[in-house]
Amino acid sequence: MESQRKRILIIGGYGQVGSNVARLIRKADSSIEIILAGRNPRKGELLAKELTHAETAYVNLEEGFNLDQFRNIDLIISALGDHSNILRETAILNGIASITVSELADQISPTAFLSLHKTIAAPIVFAGHWQAGLLTLIVKQLSENFSHITTVETAGLYDEKDPVGPLVTDEVTGFVGRSLIRRGGNWLHVESKANARSINLYDGSSAVGYPMGTLDVPSIAALTDAANIRFDFIVGDSIGSNKGLEASHDLYIEIEGTLLSGEKTKLRTIVTGLRGNSHLTAVGVYLITESILGLNGKSEHFKGGLYLPETIVSEDNIIKRLSEFGIRTIEDIS
């Protein structure tokens, strides 16, 4: 029945990330009602017609956010920056599930404190990880090969030929500053420019990476208890560009430690999303949405609370699952 349809509000819904998320949701479920919201609703009209059971709405977070203009929202997805935190606070206070993808590690404390004062009736997901958690989910699976991990060094390569929207542009231009890393078991806030490292790329060349305080860093620490953890931002030619294809977005993962067999090793893995940065982020958001709403036969996640991608997305083999979205994983590259 019409009243039983789930309703999803995507803020920034017709941008690069938001439109990819909307299409993935529609592919999984033909009945969910999708509201594409932003400052210029006319830009989303063609997408709304393409999706069916979709509409556009005007939302400008600089002017505030009025939930009363919508009805019976089940999930709010923020596909743009929300510096006032109004979307997530509205979700908490009204028992609505929420996914936010644009914040760094030092920006989540207001919600953490609010959660200690309010009852959270629906899942509130911190997804300010690189690609909304895909990097950390892959590290989680790879770490199962180890009995002890000393170092996890990760990086995301941005190819300037990759067309991105405002959300991703903010990410790739706003990394310079103080970043959270773990070194020798100590948590440090360091100056990005003063703590660069060289990263070997797929084609044998190298690029300079600068640390960025994404939520992957504390998440990976919680998963692995490694003494040394960092995420770096790189600009360079992607695997896709090098092969004469569209620009891809590439993730580099190096895990050093002791395998279950007792052998000490460094496992190097490259993940490449041939459809670029925005598509990878959208896949991460979609997998979280799938878990919250119970799409594709999964159990609907009713329990309220604060979540991370790796605590709400349940996949026995995330690497295999990501291959369904055209995301390729190359392991043990020397």
Side-chain angles (χ1 to χ4, degrees):
M1 295 176 61
E2 188 80 13
S3 61
Q4 295 176 326
R5 287 179 177 169
K6 298 292 185 182
R7 286 172 54 82
I8 298 177
L9 173 62
I10 306 178
I11 310 295
Y14 39 84
Q16 292 280 350
V17 173
S19 59
N20 274 303
V21 171
R23 288 188 173 102
L24 289 169
I25 292 171
R26 175 57 73 235
K27 184 177 180 180
D29 191 297
S30 61
S31 66
I32 287 176
E33 294 183 2
I34 300 174
I35 304 169
L36 309 168
R39 295 185 180 187
N40 190 346
R42 291 187 63 184
K43 289 184 177 180
E45 289 177 356
L46 286 178
L47 177 60
K49 291 179 181 178
E50 170 195 329
L51 296 171
T52 70
H53 298 312
E55 61 187 90
T56 62
Y58 175 80
V59 170
N60 182 349
L61 294 182
E62 293 181 2
E63 300 173 356
F65 176 72
N66 181 12
L67 184 63
D68 292 339
Q69 74 179 101
F70 307 102
R71 58 179 175 81
N72 302 324
I73 298 298
D74 296 285
L75 171 64
I76 298 174
I77 297 173
S78 174
L80 46 69
D82 178 13
H83 303 297
S84 65
N85 204 32
I86 190 171
L87 294 175
R88 191 162 49 204
E89 290 182 5
T90 298
I92 290 174
L93 297 177
N94 290 274
I96 301 171
S98 168
I99 304 171
T100 50
V101 299
S102 62
E103 61 211 340
L104 299 177
D106 59 354
Q107 297 171 327
I108 63 174
S109 56
T111 301
F113 276 73
L114 181 63
S115 71
L116 296 173
H117 287 267
K118 303 293 182 180
T119 299
I120 302 182
I124 303 296
V125 185
F126 293 122
H129 305 58
W130 205 247
Q131 269 60 64
L134 293 191
L135 177 67
T136 290
L137 286 167
I138 294 167
V139 170
K140 180 181 180 181
Q141 179 173 333
L142 295 174
S143 68
E144 294 172 356
N145 298 308
F146 291 81
S147 62
H148 176 69
I149 294 174
T150 58
T151 301
V152 182
E153 293 182 330
T154 62
L157 183 143
Y158 168 64
D159 190 322
E160 292 180 315
K161 295 180 285 297
D162 183 0
V164 296
L167 171 63
V168 181
T169 299
D170 289 344
E171 289 179 339
V172 301
T173 59
F175 71 92
V176 177
R178 291 177 63 81
S179 296
L180 179 69
I181 67 172
R182 197 178 194 193
R183 182 184 295 158
N186 297 313
W187 289 105
L188 306 174
H189 284 87
V190 301
E191 295 294 333
S192 295
K193 285 291 187 180
N195 288 271
R197 71 180 177 99
S198 179
I199 298 167
N200 295 323
L201 303 182
Y202 178 82
D203 63 356
S205 66
S206 62
V208 176
Y210 298 95
M212 184 175 177
T214 65
L215 299 190
D216 303 274
V217 176
S219 274
I220 291 171
L223 287 169
T224 68
D225 197 31
N228 305 289
I229 303 168
R230 61 185 285 166
F231 170 84
D232 289 275
F233 177 81
I234 324 168
V235 176
D237 290 333
S238 65
I239 293 173
S241 290
N242 284 329
K243 292 184 175 182
L245 305 172
E246 293 183 10
S248 60
H249 187 73
D250 306 328
L251 310 177
Y252 288 82
I253 301 169
E254 292 187 357
I255 303 177
E256 188 172 356
T258 305
L259 295 173
L260 296 175
S261 65
E263 176 189 359
K264 292 185 178 181
T265 191
K266 178 184 287 187
L267 176 65
R268 177 170 156 88
T269 303
I270 300 174
V271 180
T272 181
L274 296 178
R275 294 175 60 185
N277 188 304
S278 297
H279 178 254
L280 272 179
T281 301
V283 171
V285 174
Y286 168 74
L287 291 177
I288 297 168
T289 301
E290 185 181 76
S291 296
I292 292 174
L293 298 183
L295 306 182
N296 278 330
K298 295 186 178 295
S299 298
E300 187 171 350
H301 204 105
F302 291 105
K303 188 176 180 181
L306 300 184
Y307 292 87
L308 300 165
E310 69 272 16
T311 65
I312 199 166
V313 174
S314 178
E315 290 287 346
D316 294 333
N317 190 333
I318 188 65
I319 292 173
K320 181 179 179 181
R321 181 70 198 282
L322 292 180
S323 68
E324 298 175 11
F325 299 93
I327 300 169
R328 182 185 176 199
T329 302
I330 310 162
E331 294 189 34
D332 201 19
I333 303 299
S334 61

